[in-house]
Amino acid sequence: MDQTKRPLLIPPEFATYAEQHGVFDLYKRLLEQVIINKPPNPIAFMIDMLKRDNNDVPQIVILGPPASGKRTISKMVSNKLRTAHLTPDNLVSEAETDIKSEAQAFIKKNQTLPTELWVKILEERMKLFDCVKKGWVMEGFPQTREQAQALQAIGIFPKHCVILDSPDTVLIERAQGKRVDPTNGDIFHTTFDWPSNPEIQNRLKEVEGYTEEDMINKLIEYHRHFEGIYDCYKKCSKTVNADQPKADVFSQVYTFLSSQLRSNAPHTPRIVLLGATGSGKGVQASLLANKYNIVNVSCGNLMKQAIADETKQGLAAKAYIDKGMMAPDNIVMTILSARLAQLDCVSRGWVLHGFPRTREQAETLTKDGFLPNRVFFLDVPNDSVMERLTLRETDPITGERYHNLYNPPQSQEVKERLCKHPSDTEDEVRKRLSQYHAYVEEIADFYTDAQHVNADQDPHTVFECIESMVVNPLPKHFP
């Protein structure tokens, strides 16, 4: 690029390529793994990491007190996401012969397995194909803070930790009816989840160690270690009420698993605000720009500035506007592209409003490389829009804007000199609303990841909603 050229225009592909292909996240993951594993040959290690088809696999821990439904939910999640299902029992039974023999020696003596041995078992298990390529769901482990920290030390840390919670009295009562299928380990309940198949009913057995006294002892031990484990996983955890039907529990768990944690990789906001006239796009754009130091790009203001500066494109647009016509898309896009390609927009990010208004404009924006990573529809009922716009007036002396209901003038003198803008008459507002609704469905079909926000409320409440979806990654869509 010629740095002497002013203004410096940066091709939009520079900003979008790295984000589309996850380059920054890739660097972050590589550096994390190098620091954790400390390989003797970091270059060869990173090359091996890059050869893996997919590093973005589910890594889930499901914890909870006994009889909270960990086994049932873990199996449902594992089947849904097609991941490996890890439990303390199958980790030992599937371990290598030497490690397995060592672990079984402790089990026969009714002794707790040392943390070092658990680390060996899990380290070897995580290297297998199913965990590497498909991810894993670990049920009921770690059981102590020491185990959780030991796993972190070797780089085993969940992306999501689900904590199933329920009152102890409910868990003790639930344990009385717990039954297990010895053929596959499926858990059933005499009251809440009895199988319809008579063959399965006949082979169900009571679970040992779930008498009232046993449950009390297990619950005491669980609560003694829980706070320590929670401190290790609190940034990636969610507590779900397990005292409800399993379908409802699974629904809440799956919604949480679809969410993504914030990344430390660089992120440049490119936001598009869409909505009917009077929906508050300008207000929200201003709030976002002020708080996050991104560029507030108003298409309408850009057009006015181009006309005032008498630029080539501005004069071309003025010829149409003077006749009461919309400026052609190619003229608008040329003016908009010149602004979005400037250094401040590329480096700091931008929030665009007033464009696109049709699907064709949205397609042109994307085709020219200005691909937004957040799109919001500000939804407001037509009646509220009419109330907002037709009742507002402006003081011609001070320029202060008033509203007859929400912000009336304080003096009769000011009230008498207020003027209404010609575009705020009922006919003009209805005309703009009809134009918006004629194209909104087509735009929504184009921006499939767009988020809808209820904008018929306090502006700062709307801003908090938009802000939460700007700073947090969008929900993940599992295949």
Side-chain angles (χ1 to χ4, degrees):
M1 290 184 295
D2 181 7
Q3 293 189 5
T4 63
K5 186 178 180 181
R6 293 291 183 268
L8 178 61
L9 300 182
I10 301 175
E13 291 80 6
F14 285 20
T16 57
Y17 176 84
E19 185 176 316
Q20 282 182 315
H21 295 275
V23 174
F24 295 130
D25 284 302
L26 177 63
Y27 274 118
K28 182 182 76 73
R29 287 200 299 268
L30 287 175
L31 289 174
E32 284 177 349
Q33 292 304 316
V34 167
I35 292 170
I36 290 169
N37 291 278
K38 302 179 181 67
N41 188 340
I43 301 299
F45 175 82
M46 286 192 285
I47 291 173
D48 182 60
M49 289 286 296
L50 289 170
K51 287 180 180 178
R52 297 183 181 181
D53 293 335
N54 180 21
N55 276 319
D56 190 20
V57 295
Q59 295 171 350
I60 303 162
V61 164
I62 297 183
L63 303 174
S68 60
K70 298 187 297 295
R71 174 64 53 85
T72 300
I73 298 301
S74 297
K75 281 197 169 187
M76 293 173 74
V77 169
S78 178
N79 291 336
K80 178 73 174 178
L81 304 183
R82 299 176 183 176
T83 63
H85 179 201
L86 311 180
T87 68
D89 293 337
N90 67 29
L91 283 171
V92 172
S93 63
E94 296 172 5
E96 294 182 358
T97 306
D98 294 342
I99 300 176
K100 181 179 178 181
S101 300
E102 186 180 352
Q104 287 178 337
F106 283 97
I107 294 172
K108 287 178 181 178
K109 297 177 184 178
N110 290 325
Q111 295 179 349
T112 303
L113 270 66
T115 300
E116 296 79 9
L117 184 56
W118 275 121
V119 169
K120 284 183 185 178
I121 293 172
L122 272 162
E123 196 168 19
E124 294 301 318
R125 183 67 179 87
M126 292 297 177
K127 294 178 182 178
L128 297 184
F129 177 85
D130 57 348
C131 287
V132 173
K133 296 295 184 182
K134 298 181 179 180
W136 45 266
V137 175
M138 187 151 52
E139 170 206 327
F141 194 87
Q143 298 168 340
T144 66
R145 178 183 175 86
E146 181 187 6
Q147 292 171 351
Q149 291 179 327
L151 294 182
Q152 290 181 26
I154 61 170
I156 300 176
F157 189 85
K159 295 177 182 176
H160 297 87
C161 176
V162 177
I163 300 169
L164 302 178
D165 188 36
S166 189
D168 289 353
T169 52
V170 173
L171 297 172
I172 293 171
E173 182 181 353
R174 183 185 288 182
Q176 308 303 312
K178 189 174 181 180
R179 299 291 184 270
V180 63
D181 186 341
T183 59
N184 54 25
D186 285 346
I187 301 295
F188 296 92
H189 195 278
T190 54
T191 304
F192 307 116
D193 188 23
W194 192 244
S196 56
N197 190 332
E199 185 180 345
I200 298 177
Q201 294 176 10
N202 293 332
R203 66 173 183 246
L204 293 184
K205 294 183 179 180
E206 292 187 13
V207 183
E208 295 182 4
Y210 278 86
T211 63
E212 184 174 344
E213 184 178 351
D214 292 332
M215 279 294 295
I216 291 173
N217 293 331
K218 288 181 178 181
L219 288 168
I220 291 173
E221 183 177 2
Y222 170 80
H223 290 304
R224 183 167 66 246
H225 294 292
F226 172 73
E227 290 299 329
I229 301 172
Y230 179 74
D231 283 343
C232 295
Y233 294 150
K234 60 185 177 182
K235 289 187 177 180
C236 64
S237 68
K238 178 179 176 61
T239 302
V240 177
N241 177 20
D243 187 19
Q244 52 183 329
K246 66 179 182 181
D248 295 339
V249 176
F250 176 73
S251 176
Q252 294 179 38
V253 169
Y254 189 75
T255 300
F256 170 61
L257 299 181
S258 300
S259 66
Q260 300 187 74
L261 298 176
R262 295 188 196 179
S263 172
N264 292 323
H267 171 74
T268 304
R270 297 187 301 277
I271 306 165
V272 169
L273 297 180
L274 300 169
T277 178
S279 59
K281 300 185 294 295
V283 172
Q284 298 305 321
S286 178
L287 291 171
L288 285 168
N290 290 336
K291 182 164 184 178
Y292 292 101
N293 193 32
I294 58 181
V295 182
N296 183 356
V297 182
S298 167
C299 188
N301 290 344
L302 285 179
M303 295 289 292
K304 293 175 184 176
Q305 187 65 45
I307 294 171
D309 293 343
E310 296 184 349
T311 64
K312 180 180 177 181
Q313 298 299 329
L315 293 174
K318 186 175 185 297
Y320 290 91
I321 294 172
D322 288 344
K323 297 177 183 178
M325 302 168 61
M326 297 289 290
D329 289 352
N330 62 329
I331 295 177
V332 178
M333 197 62 218
T334 302
I335 296 172
L336 186 59
S337 297
R339 183 67 187 94
L340 295 180
Q342 289 182 19
L343 181 61
D344 57 349
C345 284
V346 174
S347 59
R348 289 159 44 196
W350 43 263
V351 52
L352 171 64
H353 54 105
F355 190 92
R357 298 189 179 188
T358 66
R359 179 174 178 134
E360 289 74 17
Q361 291 177 349
E363 290 173 347
T364 303
L365 190 68
T366 300
K367 183 180 177 181
D368 287 0
F370 301 104
L371 185 66
N373 47 31
R374 294 291 187 278
V375 178
F376 297 101
F377 283 92
L378 305 185
D379 298 330
V380 181
N382 288 351
D383 292 344
S384 297
V385 171
M386 296 296 294
E387 184 181 274
R388 287 183 182 186
L389 299 186
T390 60
L391 297 180
R392 68 181 184 183
E393 294 179 309
T394 305
D395 187 339
I397 296 178
T398 64
E400 187 76 20
R401 179 173 284 177
Y402 295 92
H403 192 279
N404 293 340
L405 287 180
Y406 308 125
N407 183 30
Q410 299 299 313
S411 67
Q412 185 65 27
E413 181 185 355
V414 173
K415 185 176 181 180
E416 289 175 354
R417 67 173 183 246
L418 293 182
C419 298
K420 179 180 289 190
H421 195 278
S423 64
D424 287 343
T425 63
E426 284 196 23
D427 290 341
E428 287 297 319
V429 173
R430 292 188 190 280
K431 182 180 177 181
R432 297 203 299 276
L433 282 173
S434 64
Q435 290 173 347
Y436 170 75
H437 290 296
Y439 295 104
V440 64
E441 290 187 6
E442 292 182 1
I443 301 176
D445 289 340
F446 181 75
Y447 289 125
T448 54
D449 290 332
Q451 308 294 310
H452 286 263
V453 178
N454 175 20
D456 190 20
Q457 48 188 333
D458 178 74
H460 292 283
T461 304
V462 177
F463 173 68
E464 288 177 3
C465 182
I466 295 175
E467 181 185 31
S468 68
M469 289 185 278
V470 169
V471 299
N472 292 315
L474 295 176
K476 183 177 181 180
H477 298 289
F478 292 107

